Amino acid sequence: MTTQTANKAQLRDTRKAVGRRSSNPGWFLVSPSVLLLLLWMIVPLGMTLYFSLIRFNLLYPGENEFVGLENFSFFLTDSGFLPGIWNTVVLVLSVLIISVVGGVLVAALLEASDFIGRGIVRVMLISPFFIMPTVGALVFKNLIFHPVSGILAALWRAFGAQPIDWLANYPLASIIIIVAWQWLPFAILLLMTAIQSQDLEQKEAARLDGAGPGAIFWHLTLPHLSRPIAVVVMIETIFLLSVFAEIFTTTNGGPGFASTNLAYLIYNQALVQFDVGMASAGGLIAVVIANIAAVILVRMIGKNLTDKG
Amino acid sequence: MATLKLKNLKKGFEGLQIIKGIDLEVLDKEFVVFVGPSGCGKSTLLRLIAGLEDVSSGHIELDGRDITEVSPAKRDLAMVFQTYALYPHMTVRKNMSFALDLAGGDKAEVQRKVDDAARILELTPLLDRKPRQLSGGQRQRVAIGRAIVRNPKIFLFDEPLSNLDAALRVQMRLELARLHQELQATMIYVTHDQVEAMTLANKVVVLNGGRIEQVGSPLELYHHPANLFVAGFLGTPKMAFLKGKVSAVDTGGCEVSLDAGLQLALPHSSAALKVGDPVTLGIRPEHLELATAGQPGLSVTADVSERLGSDTFCHVLADSGEPLTVRLRGDLNNPYGQRLQLHLGAEHCHLFDANGDAVSHALRAAA
Ligand SMILES: Nc1ncnc2c1ncn2[C@@H]1O[C@H](COP(=O)(O)OP(=O)(O)O)[C@@H](O)[C@H]1O
Ligand SMILES: [Mg+2]
């Protein structure tokens, strides 16, 4: 094995040397795609930057004078900004916790149990992931959380209790449930595949060493899953930072700012108040926040991914 | 003290019988090797003993206690797997102390046991590494160390050397033999490699198709195989087999006429043997030699030879088409294509009846 790695390293070195010698034609050949990618990224970013520095409200066309950082200061001092940040953090963390903990438990249970129809149950568990966020949110809004037509209302009435208007009274919690319902399957899918690749003989060795199912789960299965869990956290964080459809179709960010996250706040600025300049500033702030989150994530769990297992 | 008794042990998977009734006794401090071709059920038998598989019927007794239904953790056996099965996220030290930690052993005591085992296996400098940072041989030693610290009643090994390269295999084989002496432990060792079986075992159990073909010391099995399977399985190069018919029998022996064209008086006899019975004569390479002038011999044609320096293994074909191997002097010239006359020492021949069972020497049977 060591020799193999050595060989690979050697090969890489040779390749590097070759690359250096003939670097000009290489650059020439990849330049179209590099250029395209640069344009792809630079143009929108540049436009956003530009918009964020000018006054650009669709209600007042033609008044596009340079305003410096005014848009940023307006966005940061907007009454929706702090709740938006807070709600984003709460939403992301809650869904991450629910989907990772739930995903590990469901995957482990599915792996441990053996019953007829296990395949069908697996498919059913994963299926919410393939439902459009808008559709899922509407189903939750009208058939589950609705104070008149919802299943929960019926349940409450069956016990003689007053039905609760979930989306009005617990807007953020309701949205967390909807989003978690969509992302839990993703975690289950990834973790289930990972759990199936766990070495059987390791588990048998642990059994002989006197480990019960709990100890095997804690000492072998969880460490084995650390890498897929890191992947789940990374990918879900990226998507959860920009949850929008679920909020748009259910609470519209309300009541007040109770369920407004950053993505929704930006939408609100741009398309409700027609303030493109401020929305661009918000977008850039969101990019900065996403990058901070990415750095923290890479610090925390990136080691898990690059570490050779 | 550790003795193991298997009583009419059977195991089937989905109706397919894999272990077809095993009776066996393993004595204290014995090194028992299960050997047999791939797929004959060696691993399954070992896993039954370890408790990793449930038996279909029969009983397992450890020190007189029936452990057939006891969980693997409570059997007090340790197993070394072919793939090592080390815990990848734990250091070598943690791998070795895992069982003791789980049992809630005293920290200092656990540390001492791990250090002792590490010293025996020369793992001390590696204790803080992870398994992936070790070579194959080192991983193997950690797997053995993990077994040693538990001080189990019986060590179980499932082909522990088959993932190592040839040189390391020879070295680890010696280390295992030394370990057995040092620990004075009872060991059961599974392999498909007859050399490992011959070199390591006090007692070899030859398995075939889920049944025991023969049990005995390595030399007993080598010199007195009970049937054609054992005779052909043990020994490299293989024993040669020549078909023939019994042409005369009396109490002191019999006469066999081989299809290859030789009439041979043998000291083998049994009550069941009759004139005209088809038999198979077996002879090992070291018991064949070139006939001296005038001596009656088996006419063969030399095929290729393998020259090892100390010996030459000359492959030859009898006139009946049956292949034989002859061990000759190392400095022999290549006789390819030549006609040779071979002398078969009747004393060293093995005779097998139509069922493949060995016919014993008349004298030994009488004694
Ligand atoms: N869990 C199992 N389910 C079904 N068949 C099995 C199982 N384990 C082993 N077998 C079958 O039992 C036979 C013996 O296997 P094994 O004991 O591993 O042989 P070996 O002597 O090579 O170690 C093989 O034919 C194998 O296919
Ligand atoms: Mg096997």
Side-chain angles (χ1 to χ4, degrees):
Chain A
M1 217 178 82
T2 8
T3 47
Q4 219 178 344
T5 350
N7 281 345
K8 251 187 229 157
Q10 219 173 352
L11 208 65
R12 221 180 305 126
D13 287 346
T14 354
R15 239 187 257 145
K16 237 187 258 168
V18 170
R20 237 176 277 130
R21 244 177 283 141
S22 55
S23 58
N24 284 341
W27 262 111
F28 177 71
L29 287 171
V30 297
S31 57
S33 38
V34 171
L35 211 67
L36 199 70
L37 278 174
L38 265 178
L39 286 177
W40 188 268
M41 199 190 81
I42 291 283
V43 170
L45 190 65
M47 283 174 71
T48 313
L49 253 174
Y50 170 65
F51 290 155
S52 71
L53 296 176
I54 61 171
R55 185 174 145 87
F56 189 178
N57 193 314
L58 299 177
L59 293 178
Y60 310 98
E63 297 177 32
N64 293 348
E65 75 274 15
F66 180 78
V67 292
L69 295 178
E70 199 174 76
N71 281 325
F72 289 89
S73 69
F74 272 132
F75 188 84
L76 288 173
T77 53
D78 189 283
S79 55
F81 179 71
L82 280 181
I85 292 274
W86 174 247
N87 289 339
T88 305
V89 170
V90 170
L91 179 73
V92 170
L93 286 184
S94 311
V95 176
L96 277 181
I97 290 169
I98 293 172
S99 57
V100 167
V101 172
V104 168
L105 289 181
V106 171
L109 281 178
L110 268 183
E111 180 64 14
S113 57
D114 192 15
F115 53 90
I116 302 168
R118 196 162 71 153
I120 293 173
V121 169
R122 278 182 189 168
V123 172
M124 275 169 36
L125 273 170
I126 291 160
S127 54
F129 190 57
F130 301 111
I131 293 174
M132 275 185 268
T134 334
V135 176
L138 280 174
V139 167
F140 266 91
K141 180 184 182 182
N142 294 319
L143 299 180
I144 295 177
F145 289 146
H146 200 277
V148 177
S149 60
I151 289 174
L152 290 178
L155 198 69
W156 254 243
R157 273 196 294 273
F159 285 100
Q162 179 69 29
I164 297 171
D165 187 352
W166 294 96
L167 286 168
N169 295 328
Y170 306 99
L172 190 61
S174 302
I175 285 171
I176 287 171
I177 289 172
I178 298 173
V179 176
W181 175 80
Q182 292 184 322
W183 282 97
L184 180 60
F186 175 75
I188 293 176
L189 181 67
L190 239 77
L191 297 174
M192 200 164 63
T193 332
I195 243 175
Q196 281 165 356
S197 74
Q198 194 180 4
D199 188 57
L200 261 182
E201 287 197 339
Q202 277 171 28
K203 286 202 239 176
E204 286 176 345
R207 270 172 74 195
L208 283 171
D209 273 349
I216 290 179
F217 177 78
W218 184 254
H219 292 289
L220 292 184
T221 308
L222 268 189
H224 173 75
L225 289 181
S226 64
R227 191 183 299 209
I229 286 175
V231 171
V232 167
V233 169
M234 288 268 203
I235 294 180
E236 288 202 0
T237 305
I238 293 168
F239 284 94
L240 292 177
L241 277 172
S242 58
V243 163
F244 175 77
E246 292 85 345
I247 298 173
F248 182 72
T249 42
T250 54
T251 64
N252 274 316
F257 291 111
S259 57
T260 296
N261 68 350
L262 266 187
Y264 194 83
L265 190 67
I266 293 165
Y267 153 79
N268 209 20
Q269 300 295 348
L271 289 171
V272 178
Q273 302 173 18
F274 299 102
D275 193 340
V276 177
M278 197 153 133
S280 297
L284 287 173
I285 288 167
V287 167
V288 171
I289 289 173
N291 275 295
I292 293 172
V295 167
I296 294 174
L297 278 178
V298 168
R299 280 275 164 78
M300 262 166 41
I301 53 182
K303 196 166 65 78
N304 237 324
L305 293 175
T306 48
D307 213 9
K308 283 192 206 86
Chain B
M1 267 300 290
T3 59
L4 185 78
K5 267 201 198 110
L6 307 182
K7 290 183 177 165
N8 198 20
L9 205 60
K10 289 185 183 163
K11 173 69 182 174
F13 289 110
E14 287 129 29
L16 194 68
Q17 197 79 358
I18 300 294
I19 301 293
K20 298 166 184 164
I22 299 275
D23 288 285
L24 183 71
E25 191 162 358
V26 175
L27 302 178
D28 191 34
K29 299 194 175 74
E30 228 172 6
F31 199 125
V32 178
V33 174
F34 295 168
V35 66
S38 275
C40 70
K42 309 177 295 288
S43 296
T44 307
L45 185 55
L46 201 67
R47 293 164 58 81
L48 287 172
I49 295 172
L52 295 172
E53 304 278 359
D54 297 327
V55 305
S56 299
S57 72
H59 291 277
I60 306 170
E61 278 179 17
L62 182 63
D63 290 340
R65 185 170 72 107
D66 191 320
I67 57 164
T68 317
E69 302 294 331
V70 175
S71 79
K74 301 221 171 70
R75 291 190 183 196
D76 213 355
L77 309 173
M79 184 153 165
V80 175
F81 292 84
Q82 181 176 347
T83 57
Y84 320 134
L86 300 180
Y87 311 131
H89 305 91
M90 303 181 194
T91 59
V92 169
R93 176 184 292 284
K94 191 80 186 65
N95 259 283
M96 285 165 68
S97 67
F98 185 61
L100 302 178
D101 289 343
L102 278 178
D106 172 51
K107 284 253 182 310
E109 176 76 4
V110 170
Q111 172 121 10
R112 192 185 55 75
K113 280 183 180 165
V114 170
D115 287 340
D116 281 352
R119 206 177 42 250
I120 294 176
L121 295 164
E122 292 164 26
L123 286 171
T124 312
L126 307 176
L127 277 176
D128 293 316
R129 295 214 193 151
K130 293 270 178 73
R132 65 167 180 275
Q133 298 165 311
L134 303 178
S135 71
Q138 290 167 338
R139 287 180 205 191
Q140 185 60 71
R141 284 213 288 271
V142 176
I144 295 171
R146 196 166 64 179
I148 290 177
V149 292
R150 286 179 47 201
N151 191 21
K153 287 202 165 126
I154 300 182
F155 287 84
L156 308 174
F157 295 93
D158 190 358
E159 309 219 14
L161 306 187
S162 53
N163 281 4
L164 303 178
D165 64 55
L168 207 51
R169 199 146 56 207
V170 173
Q171 186 197 333
M172 284 301 293
R173 208 165 69 204
L174 292 172
E175 285 190 29
L176 275 174
R178 182 174 56 85
L179 202 64
H180 178 239
Q181 294 298 331
E182 249 172 62
L183 298 176
Q184 289 291 307
T186 313
M187 297 185 169
I188 301 178
Y189 184 104
V190 161
T191 178
H192 66 267
D193 180 353
Q194 47 128 339
V195 178
E196 282 173 26
M198 297 297 284
T199 50
L200 286 170
N202 306 129
K203 185 195 264 180
V204 178
V205 179
V206 182
L207 290 168
N208 185 29
R211 284 206 178 76
I212 293 183
E213 294 281 354
Q214 194 176 359
V215 179
S217 76
L219 289 186
E220 218 172 290
L221 263 55
Y222 188 78
H223 292 303
H224 309 294
N227 52 46
L228 269 176
F229 179 83
V230 178
F233 190 77
L234 296 179
T236 42
K238 279 175 66 156
M239 181 187 282
F241 295 117
L242 299 168
K243 292 204 179 308
K245 282 197 164 46
V246 177
S247 53
V249 198
D250 63 42
T251 50
C254 68
E255 206 174 72
V256 172
S257 80
L258 298 174
D259 297 354
L262 184 70
Q263 197 80 358
L264 204 63
L266 294 172
H268 303 75
S269 171
S270 87
L273 208 63
K274 294 186 299 292
V275 173
D277 279 355
V279 287
T280 305
L281 180 135
I283 184 133
R284 295 201 184 275
E286 64 266 35
H287 298 139
L288 285 166
E289 53 193 29
L290 296 176
T292 50
Q295 208 176 15
L298 185 70
S299 302
V300 295
T301 311
D303 194 2
V304 292
S305 300
E306 294 171 311
R307 295 151 67 89
L308 304 177
S310 57
D311 303 298
T312 300
F313 287 109
C314 182
H315 300 274
V316 301
L317 281 178
D319 292 344
S320 54
E322 289 157 315
L324 295 91
T325 309
V326 194
R327 190 177 85 181
L328 297 170
R329 287 196 332 270
D331 56 356
L332 195 83
N333 285 326
N334 190 351
Y336 183 78
Q338 287 173 21
R339 293 288 289 174
L340 303 173
Q341 290 287 315
L342 294 183
H343 173 69
L344 283 63
E347 200 45 47
H348 296 299
C349 287
H350 302 266
L351 194 65
F352 303 95
D353 63 19
N355 297 325
D357 293 328
V359 180
S360 53
H361 279 220
L363 289 176
R364 198 177 308 120

